Amino acid sequence: MATVHFNRTLSGEMVTQFMNAIDAGATGGTIKFYTAPMPADTTVAISTQTLLGTCTFDATCGSVAAGTFTADAITPDASADASGTATWARIQDSNAVVVIDVDVTVTGGGGFIQMPTNALVAGGPIAFTSFTSTMP
């Protein structure tokens, strides 16, 4: 794996663009959790994957400081749509324009999103207490 380090000004600009992409719609962007497999890239449509549930950002999703995006409150999904193992998530603006696809693992598993458990249960909650993204 390659290693890169951007200066703080450039990394701040990149995560600002990430934040602005989530905020591009009229309301809050979403984080949609799915079962495997993750599509090859963000232009590939969802096919056999099961939507497990959706969490929603505030209309203004967060802030940026020192190259780190920090989300404001994220509205949990109080009742997951289906049961299954969340292996990836698609982050979109409120117009369903894809911003990024990310892997999901249990805490310590190295995923972009790490959860205490990624085994989600239909009718159960999907909640976040925080969300940050830092450019190196």
Side-chain angles (χ1 to χ4, degrees), residues 12-108:
E13 290 171 0
M14 288 190 288
V15 291
T16 297
Q17 290 303 313
F18 173 69
M19 178 183 69
N20 291 343
I22 296 169
D23 284 345
T27 60
T30 60
I31 306 171
K32 295 185 174 199
F33 294 90
Y34 291 94
T35 58
M38 181 191 296
D41 63 56
T42 61
T43 65
V44 176
I46 306 301
S47 59
T48 61
Q49 302 86 344
T50 300
L51 174 62
L52 300 173
T54 305
C55 296
T56 306
F57 290 98
D58 284 346
T60 302
C61 68
S63 60
V64 171
T68 298
F69 161 74
T70 301
D72 290 340
I74 298 172
T75 302
D77 185 334
S79 181
D81 299 339
S83 295
T85 302
T87 60
W88 69 283
R90 180 163 275 183
I91 299 175
Q92 301 173 298
D93 71 13
S94 64
N95 296 323
V97 174
V98 178
V99 175
I100 188 172
D101 289 342
V102 298
D103 59 342
V104 176
T105 64
V106 296
T107 304

